[in-house]
Every structure is written in structure tokens, then in C-alpha cells.
Amino acid sequence: MPLSNLYGRLVTNLEIDETIKLDGLIAYSGIMTKGKQLTCRRCSSRLDLSESHLQGKRYYCTQCIILGRISSTTTLYTIPEPNLFTTWKKSPLTWDGQLTSQQEACANEVRQIFAKPAARHLLWAVTGAGKTEMLFKGIEAALMDNKRVCLASPRVDVCIELFPRLQAAFNGVDICLLHGKSTDPYKYTQLVVCTTHQLLRFQQAFDVMIVDEVDAFPYAQNKLLLQATIQATKKEGASLYLTATPSEELLREVRLNRLTVSYLPVRFHGHKLPEIKIVFEKSWEKKIKKGHLPKKLILRMNQWLKREDPFLIFVPKIWLLQPVMQAFKKKFPNLKGETVYSEDPDRLEKVKAIRSGETRYLITTTILERGVTFANLDVFVLGADDKTFSTAALVQIAGRVGRNVNRPYGDVIFLCSNYTVTLKKAAGQIKTMNRKARRLKV
């Protein structure tokens, strides 16, 4: 293990290489004791003594155990972030694309934010607005200013999708990708892409912290991950939050002037967001249980079969995946498709298969509501009135459609039994964004 692997990191005594001399390293007890209060040094969680007890008056943290156990016998080592990076004599940005005038304005604001000490900013842009590309100039300036940059997301799929795009945009920059499914060892780099859980392994490491899909599960309203973001960012570091569907908490921060904001209601290709079409069919779930598809879905499928474009069918519950798939195979035996959900071990391969054209469709849970892009896509949501689907989730699902400049349109069909407030808000939010876009006259 090179010594640089401890720069801005929290590494346990079990992970320390025997070749590293411990003299000069900063050491912390894994579990800090203050009176009867025990706190995890890695994630700052206060421990419930009854749930965290081990033999011999020892304790462990139940909150961050997914990253490996921290106990009373654990020692955490670190070296303060020294920013020992290559001096860039010319720009590391190799992306040669063009931003629209609206994107350019947001990109300039982002670059200015990255230069301000302890700045906090929200980039509120519709799905398909090109948020990633709007980051490039800011990242470029930060790298050339010898700053360390992190782009974090709550979702593994989003990180996996972002990583090659950043590699292509900065093809001379060494980038580290960190997530729970990764098998590559950690290495010290100036640019890091990781899940928000992985931030728990860092301590005041980053001068620039970018959190993508900040409203997504499991990050939204998760105190552990919010703390991880704060812990991983230097005290004078800049923080940027990206979303198409900001939470009420974020909007409150804006109203209280604790958070500055940029807003972009236009997609990169200038076309409006595909609007939601709501169709009603009672007892659709009973039909699925009997091995039949809802009539409204069959009608839409007969239209989609006339072309060769891929489509996603969203369901509100995991248990519906197989019954819906069986009904699909019965009605459309020649169509090749798969089911996919968050714990599916083949999830990434299935996403690649529909993207490459090997399969035509995926029946999915909300795991594919955001962070993945498919060309020429249509979507159908079964049970869109189910409580599983939040307003943000429904807007994000609709946002999967029409992202390709050569096909900036597509079908967004929500099947339900009742017209709920959540559905009304989702449809209204998209219409509001389209009205704002029209006012820009693009």
C-alpha cells in the first residue's frame, strides 16, 4: 500500500500494509467514548449500547458496517490531504463539445462556485439538460488550480455511467471509481467518482464536492450520508448539488439564502420534455395475477411493435416482476426482455444488453428511474398511483424518454386506478418546466 492511499482517507488497522510505518500517521480510536456516550469515529453515529454490544465490554458501529466493522478495538489512520498532484501546464479538458447559451451560463456559474471558499450551490436542471457537460469547465478550472474533486452519487448505476464520460472528457487525468460492487483497489487520484456511502472513508479530502441526484434514495434525508458528505469535504471546500427534482428541504435552504441556485428548464437539444399521458384501468393487478396483461398496455404494445425501439415497463413492487414477465411472454413470445431490480446480480449486464439492442425491453422497479440513458426509449408505468412512486420518481421516470437529439420525443404512459395528488404534481411539474422553456424561446 503506497503512503498516498492514506491522504484524506480513514483506513483501519486491518487495512494498513505492514510496510507502512505508523510513526507520523494520525490515529483515532474507532469508537470514541465520552461518559456513557459512544460515537463511531468513521460515520459520527451515536451508538445504541444494547444493539452495539460485543463480548468483553466491546462495542461496534451498526450504521456503517456495510463498509467493514468499526469496533472498540479498531484504530483509524489518516494523513491530512496534501494535494500532491501533477501541475497541469495545459488544460486537462479534452471534451470538444459545444454548450448551448443556457448551458454556458450555468457552467460559468458552476466554475465561479468552485472558486469560492465554502460555497454551496444547487444546479436545478431538467432531466436531459446536460448537467454532466455543464460541470466540465468547473472541474477543468479546479484541477488546474491543484484542487481535489469528487463527483458522488447515491446510485451505483449513476457512478458507472458517469465514469467513462469523465474519462472521455479528461482522458489524460487519472480517475478513481469507488462503489460497493467494484473490485479495483483504491488509488490516490485528483478526480474521484464514487457512491455517497464511499464518502464515509474520507476525511476533509476534497476541495470540490459534487453530489449528483441529491434527491435520490438512499441519500435524501439520510443523516448518515449527509454527514459523510460534510466529513469528506474540506472546511473551505465548495459543494454543488445536482437534481431535476429538488426536495422541499433544498428549496427551503434556497429561500433562506443558505444555498445559491442556477436553474435550467431546457434540455440540451432544445426540445420540450415528453409529457405524461395517464390511462385508467381498474383491477389491472388481478389480471396480472391471472396471467394476462392490462388492455391499455396491450393497445400500447401493438403500437410499439410497429417500430424497433426499446422500452421500459415500471412496476411498483418487486413481486410483480415475474408475473408481468410471464404475462408478457405469453402475449408476446417473440419479444426478448428481462426483469431487473436493485439486488439483481446481473443488473449491469441487463442494462448493457438493452442498450446494445440484444434485448428489446426491461421490466423494472424504480432502480432505473434515474441516472441511465437509452436512445429512442418509451416507458410504461403499471400502478403509477401506488405509494411506491413519489412525485420525484415519476418525473425522473418520464425523464428517461426523449433524451436523444435524433428522437427528442417518445411515449410516457402511466396506468393507474386513481388520479392521485402525486400523479397530478408530477404531470404539473413537467408542464411547468415546459412553459418556462418556451419563455426562453429556444
Side-chain angles (χ1 to χ4, degrees):
M1 176 190 289
L3 201 63
S4 60
N5 278 15
L6 277 77
Y7 295 167
R9 292 274 283 179
L10 289 172
V11 180
T12 70
N13 53 295
L14 297 178
E15 298 170 305
I16 289 284
D17 194 299
E18 293 179 357
T19 61
I20 290 181
K21 294 181 180 180
L22 300 183
D23 294 341
L25 303 186
I26 297 175
Y28 303 103
S29 174
I31 304 295
M32 299 183 295
T33 305
K34 187 177 182 180
K36 293 184 178 181
Q37 182 66 58
L38 300 180
T39 305
C40 176
R41 183 58 183 74
R42 181 167 65 187
C43 71
S44 300
S45 296
R46 292 185 176 183
L47 308 186
D48 184 321
L49 301 187
S50 62
E51 294 181 357
S52 308
H53 189 262
L54 295 170
Q55 290 182 342
K57 294 184 178 180
R58 294 181 299 121
Y59 297 90
Y60 74 103
C61 180
T62 58
Q63 298 302 304
C64 62
I65 196 168
I66 191 172
L67 298 177
R69 191 166 77 175
I70 297 291
S71 74
S72 306
T73 60
T74 303
T75 301
L76 291 167
Y77 293 98
T78 189
I79 297 174
E81 174 61 55
N83 290 63
L84 293 180
F85 306 118
T86 303
T87 299
W88 297 100
K89 295 181 180 179
K90 65 176 184 178
S91 171
L93 180 61
T94 52
W95 183 71
D96 59 359
Q98 287 291 115
L99 297 176
T100 66
S101 58
Q102 291 83 16
Q103 287 177 319
E104 188 80 36
C106 288
N108 289 333
E109 289 178 3
V110 166
R111 182 167 52 187
Q112 291 169 15
I113 289 298
F114 289 174
K116 293 179 181 178
R120 297 178 68 241
H121 191 77
L122 170 66
L123 176 54
W124 181 0
V126 296
T127 55
K131 290 190 290 292
T132 304
E133 288 74 18
M134 286 187 276
L135 299 176
F136 291 163
K137 288 189 175 182
I139 294 175
E140 172 196 26
L143 295 179
M144 294 191 73
D145 200 25
N146 202 45
K147 293 180 177 179
R148 196 174 189 196
V149 180
C150 178
L151 178 49
S153 170
R155 300 283 181 87
V156 172
D157 307 68
V158 176
C159 292
I160 291 173
E161 183 123 339
L162 286 171
F163 182 63
R165 293 170 68 183
L166 284 174
Q167 283 183 313
F170 299 91
N171 64 19
V173 178
D174 206 9
I175 308 174
C176 184
L177 174 63
L178 303 171
H179 57 80
K181 300 179 185 297
S182 176
T183 56
D184 294 330
Y186 171 78
K187 59 182 178 180
Y188 179 63
T189 60
Q190 190 176 4
L191 183 54
V192 174
V193 177
C194 69
T195 55
T196 47
H197 273 95
Q198 293 294 322
L199 295 177
L200 289 165
R201 297 185 185 274
F202 291 93
Q203 176 175 277
Q204 295 188 33
F206 300 104
D207 304 281
V208 172
M209 174 62 68
I210 306 164
V211 185
D212 194 14
E213 306 290 358
V214 71
D215 63 304
F217 177 85
Y219 186 83
Q221 299 177 342
N222 186 316
K223 292 182 179 179
L224 182 73
L225 297 180
L226 291 173
Q227 173 60 31
T229 307
I230 294 169
Q231 176 180 290
T233 309
K234 292 182 181 180
K235 291 181 180 179
E236 294 299 306
S239 298
L240 175 68
Y241 309 105
L242 310 177
T243 183
T245 49
S247 65
E248 184 54 40
E249 177 62 25
L250 280 172
L251 296 178
R252 189 172 73 89
E253 292 283 287
V254 172
R255 289 194 295 269
L256 293 173
N257 295 319
R258 297 174 183 168
L259 193 65
T260 54
V261 62
S262 300
Y263 184 71
L264 183 57
V266 184
R267 285 185 155 183
F268 77 95
H269 48 51
H271 294 270
K272 69 178 184 178
L273 296 164
E275 295 190 0
I276 296 167
K277 181 178 181 181
I278 296 174
V279 296
F280 296 92
E281 187 165 345
K282 297 286 185 180
S283 305
W284 66 268
E285 204 169 295
K286 291 182 180 178
K287 292 180 181 178
I288 294 293
K289 290 178 180 178
K290 293 179 181 179
H292 304 295
L293 294 176
K295 289 183 179 179
K296 296 289 175 66
L297 176 54
I298 294 173
L299 287 173
R300 186 58 53 173
M301 284 301 307
N302 287 333
Q303 294 177 24
W304 288 354
L305 289 176
K306 295 175 183 178
R307 48 186 190 254
E308 298 181 355
D309 299 328
F311 59 90
L312 301 178
I313 305 293
F314 285 86
V315 298
K317 299 178 180 69
I318 291 177
W319 72 263
L320 279 165
L321 290 172
Q322 287 306 320
V324 172
M325 174 56 81
Q326 290 170 9
F328 245 91
K329 288 182 176 179
K330 181 179 177 181
K331 183 66 179 177
F332 304 103
N334 296 324
L335 276 185
K336 189 175 181 181
E338 298 279 2
T339 62
V340 65
Y341 59 100
S342 61
E343 299 302 318
D344 189 336
D346 301 319
R347 184 174 96 219
L348 302 180
E349 286 72 22
K350 290 177 179 179
V351 169
K352 288 180 182 177
I354 188 173
R355 189 169 283 148
S356 67
E358 292 178 40
T359 56
R360 178 75 182 274
Y361 67 92
L362 289 176
I363 300 171
T364 179
T365 58
T366 54
I367 189 62
L368 295 186
E369 76 181 38
R370 64 179 75 218
V372 289
T373 300
F374 305 99
N376 309 329
L377 190 72
D378 298 298
V379 301
F380 196 106
V381 181
L382 287 169
D385 53 339
D386 192 277
K387 291 181 180 179
T388 300
F389 296 114
S390 64
T391 297
L394 293 174
V395 171
Q396 289 285 355
I397 287 170
R400 298 310 96 205
V401 176
R403 299 170 76 94
N404 192 315
V405 67
N406 296 317
R407 188 185 184 259
Y409 53 84
D411 292 333
V412 181
I413 314 298
F414 286 4
L415 183 145
C416 58
S417 301
N418 301 290
Y419 189 42
T420 63
V421 173
T422 301
L423 278 167
K424 186 177 181 180
K425 285 182 177 179
Q429 191 175 125
I430 291 174
K431 288 179 179 179
T432 297
M433 292 172 178
N434 283 337
R435 279 198 300 271
K436 289 184 177 182
R438 284 194 289 272
R439 289 182 193 137
L440 292 176
K441 297 180 180 180
V442 292

